[in-house]
Each structure stands twice: as C-alpha cells, then as structure tokens.
C-alpha cells in the first residue's frame, strides 16, 4: 500500500491537469501555428502555468492500493494486484493461460 499522501498528491495533480487542459491545448496550438510574436507570448504563458498542470506529472497508480510500479493500464492495476484478482476470478474475461 502506498502512502496516503502520495495517493492524495497524485489525485490533486489529476484535478489540476483537468482544470488547465483546454488552455494548455490552445497555447500549444498557438505555439505550433502562430506568428513568432504569438508563439513567444504563448510560450511565456505556458511557462507561467503551475507545474502540476502538465499531464506528465501524473503518475499511473494501482486503483486499489496506489502502488506506483508495474502498472497495467488496461486494467488500472499493478501486476501484483492483477495476478491476485485474476486468481480469485474477480476480473471478467481474464482466464489463466494453459497450454
């Protein structure tokens, strides 16, 4: 189980990313296609935004216990939790391989 503070901080980051997502997209588009003056102004404004507004600051964590490593995106679980839940039959459509 991850520390509660890490899980809460990650949730806060997700909220900040969602709040700034539209404006960040507009600024990035201006940087891509605008005039040099518009590009410079957009880059300055983008740099003034909070660091946690960047989606790369969000960490993928296990949705059950918050483990940060070995994350399987398709299920939202860590490799350990995925294996446990698959063995217990709690993941629909997941069967143990046999050959």
């Amino acid at each position: 189980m991850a520390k509660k503070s890490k899980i809460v901080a990650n949730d806060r980051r997700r909220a900040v990313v969602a709040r700034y997502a539209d404006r960040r997209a507009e600024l990035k588009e201006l940087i891509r296609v605008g005039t040099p003056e518009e590009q410079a102004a957009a880059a300055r404004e983008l740099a003034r935004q909070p660091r946690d507004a960047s989606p790369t600051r969000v960490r993928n964590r296990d949705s059950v216990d918050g483990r940060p490593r070995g994350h399987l995106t398709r299920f939202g679980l860590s490799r350990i939790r995925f294996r446990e839940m698959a063995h217990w039959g709690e993941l629909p459509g997941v069967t143990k391989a046999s050959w």
Side-chain angles (χ1 to χ4, degrees), residues 60-67 71 75-78 81 85:
N60 286 329
R61 290 185 173 270
D62 186 326
S63 60
V64 177
D65 64 2
R67 187 175 201 280
H71 184 264
F75 297 95
L77 301 170
S78 68
R81 182 72 53 189
M85 291 178 78

Side-chain angles (χ1 to χ4, degrees), residues 7-69:
I7 295 170
V8 169
N10 201 48
D11 291 341
R12 180 182 40 81
R13 281 190 196 104
R14 284 188 195 280
V16 172
V17 166
R19 187 178 332 132
Y20 285 93
D22 293 337
R23 185 60 184 151
R24 283 182 64 84
E26 292 171 8
L27 292 172
K28 291 217 175 226
E29 183 63 20
L30 266 177
I31 290 171
R32 192 174 71 80
V33 298
T35 65
E37 296 81 25
E38 290 174 336
Q39 289 175 342
R44 280 192 302 273
E45 187 175 342
L46 193 61
R48 277 196 308 265
Q49 289 188 342
R51 280 189 173 190
D52 284 346
S54 174
T56 58
R57 306 260 305 176
V58 175
R59 178 77 185 210
N60 286 329
R61 290 185 173 270
D62 186 326
S63 60
V64 177
D65 64 2
R67 187 175 201 280
R69 296 187 181 219

